[in-house]
Amino acid sequence: MSFFTPPPVLTTPRLRLEPLGPQHLEGTWAGLQNPESRRLTGTHANFTRRRAEEWLAGLAATDGRADWAIVLASDGSHIGEVVLNDYDEDNSSIGFRIALNADARFGQGYGTEATRAVVGHAFDVIGVHRIGLEVYAFNPRAQRVYQKAGFRVEGRLRDALHWNGEWIDAVVMGMLKTDPRP
């Protein structure tokens, strides 16, 4: 679908969201190696550099999703990714996820800025009615980011993630096109 391939470049005051691809290997690889980023996304899999290269090379041909690299406008650093996925045309809905590559980037508002830009694109350009996501209960910082962008808690998936011997719930959040966008 033309909304997704390739996704357009989106800009914010501090960020440039550009189509994620092979040129973003170093930042992507850094995120895959970061223990805290892996924990927050519930990533159990171990990736080889080759697998990461292949994934990035194939993204442009993937239907029903848009993947952006989050790049700092000030210096061109690739600091994370933001994704719209699982597009359901019949129900006018799409999934959302975001990940920053390094702990040093947490708490500076980059996630909020990127989330707001992609939410705006999903509602105003793609024209979806609903955006949904799941966030693990041990990540209240991300929950606050999503709430600041207009997402609401809709429910809870009990014991959705098994991490370091513990069961962790996932908080289900969603936003409708008709909801206010702060």
Side-chain angles (χ1 to χ4, degrees), residues 68 84 94 117-131 177:
W68 287 272
L84 292 172
I94 201 159
V118 171
V119 163
H121 178 75
F123 286 134
D124 301 336
V125 177
I126 299 173
V128 298
H129 176 70
R130 182 180 192 288
I131 305 171
K177 186 174 189 159

Side-chain angles (χ1 to χ4, degrees), residues 9 19 50-51 59 77 81 100 113 147 157 164 169 171:
V9 172
R50 173 102 172 127
R51 186 170 170 201
L59 277 177
S77 298
E81 66 180 50
L100 298 180
E113 200 168 320
Q147 288 172 327
L157 301 174
N164 287 340
D169 292 354
V171 177

Side-chain angles (χ1 to χ4, degrees), residues 30-31 33-40 79 100-108 110 141:
Q33 303 309 303
N34 181 297
E36 183 64 0
S37 293
R38 291 171 57 90
R39 182 181 79 88
L40 294 174
I79 64 166
L100 298 180
N101 294 340
D103 304 3
R105 303 300 185 182
F106 299 163
Q108 297 181 40
Y110 297 128
R141 183 176 53 239

Side-chain angles (χ1 to χ4, degrees), residues 8 60 75 87 112 150 152 168 180:
D75 66 8
Y87 179 58
T112 301
R152 297 181 187 177
I168 309 298

Side-chain angles (χ1 to χ4, degrees), residues 4-7 19-25 28 49-67:
F4 302 109
T5 52
L20 185 66
Q23 68 275 27
H24 302 106
L25 176 62
T28 299
R49 191 172 174 92
R50 173 102 172 127
R51 186 170 170 201
E53 288 171 348
E54 290 169 352
W55 168 253
L56 291 170
L59 277 177
T62 306
D63 290 330
R65 63 182 292 139
D67 297 72

Side-chain angles (χ1 to χ4, degrees), residues 52 71 102:
V71 177

